[in-house]
Amino acid sequence: MADILDDRLRGLLASDVHSSEGRLPAHDILVRERVGRGLGEASARLRELISRWWADRVPPSTREQPFPPAEAIEPIRKGRHLCRAIEDAFSVVRGLPVLNADHVRDRVRGVGLDELMQFDWALVGESDGLSTDLADAAELDTVDAAAVEGRLHRIRELIGERRRYLDIQA
């Protein structure tokens, strides 16, 4: 099982996985960058959908109707809320501490390498899944907000579990 995860993660990140001295911090940074990239792509796609919706569906202001209709603005409001949630998750991922203490590396390498790879694999999978889900959305009103929030919730859970796991190892 560990070899399969190791090969998948190595292929996904184009890097050796936790294999030698100094590789664990580099791998940790690569995982955070890869998760951040997926979240960044998801956020960019959502902003693109919002922009297209605004241009196509929101009528220009007139003297008779200075404010856009609520039914045209509601998907934009929901999209912006989701975009902020994605960007918040992106900030959390960027702020994860880098594994640089020798005793943490030694313990993780010796005991918990498989578990750490599973956390990393799950984080990358969730962020890529979110990016793919939003890339498949044709219009802003077709975005499944519950699915996006579910993926973001899972990413936050994984980050918390990974932090707790590394705290235990330290």
Side-chain angles (χ1 to χ4, degrees):
M1 176 76 172
D3 291 336
I4 293 170
L5 284 174
D6 184 39
D7 291 339
R8 283 184 183 172
L9 202 53
R10 182 181 300 121
L12 199 57
L13 298 171
S15 169
D16 286 338
V17 179
H18 308 302
S19 58
S20 63
E21 188 70 29
R23 289 300 244 214
L24 188 58
H27 166 77
D28 192 51
I29 292 170
L30 284 172
V31 167
R32 288 185 299 126
E33 288 295 320
R34 178 62 190 258
V35 172
R37 187 180 80 193
L39 293 174
E41 289 171 356
S43 178
R45 175 63 177 157
L46 200 49
R47 284 192 307 273
E48 176 188 336
L49 290 171
I50 290 168
S51 177
R52 278 196 347 217
W53 183 273
W54 188 273
D56 295 344
R57 307 273 176 105
V58 178
S61 296
T62 63
R63 187 175 294 221
E64 294 79 30
Q65 187 175 13
F67 301 106
E71 61 272 3
I73 295 296
E74 185 60 24
I76 292 172
R77 188 188 64 74
K78 288 180 181 177
R80 286 179 177 164
H81 173 75
L82 290 175
C83 198
R84 278 191 303 275
I86 292 169
E87 291 166 357
D88 288 346
F90 182 80
S91 295
V92 171
V93 168
R94 289 282 193 189
L96 285 173
V98 178
L99 302 177
N100 58 6
D102 290 337
H103 65 281
V104 173
R105 281 200 312 259
D106 291 342
R107 280 192 160 175
V108 170
R109 199 176 313 115
V111 177
L113 184 60
D114 295 339
E115 290 84 359
L116 185 61
M117 284 191 304
Q118 289 175 357
F119 286 124
D120 294 345
W121 180 250
L123 278 170
V124 169
E126 288 295 328
S127 68
D128 284 352
L130 178 61
S131 178
T132 301
D133 290 350
L134 288 172
D136 292 342
E139 292 289 332
L140 184 59
D141 61 346
T142 62
V143 171
D144 185 357
V148 170
E149 289 174 352
R151 283 200 185 268
L152 290 172
H153 180 73
R154 181 68 181 135
I155 288 170
R156 283 188 216 98
E157 281 181 340
L158 285 165
I159 289 169
E161 290 170 8
R162 188 178 192 270
R163 279 184 174 163
R164 284 187 294 279
Y165 177 75
L166 290 173
D167 286 346
I168 290 169
Q169 293 297 319

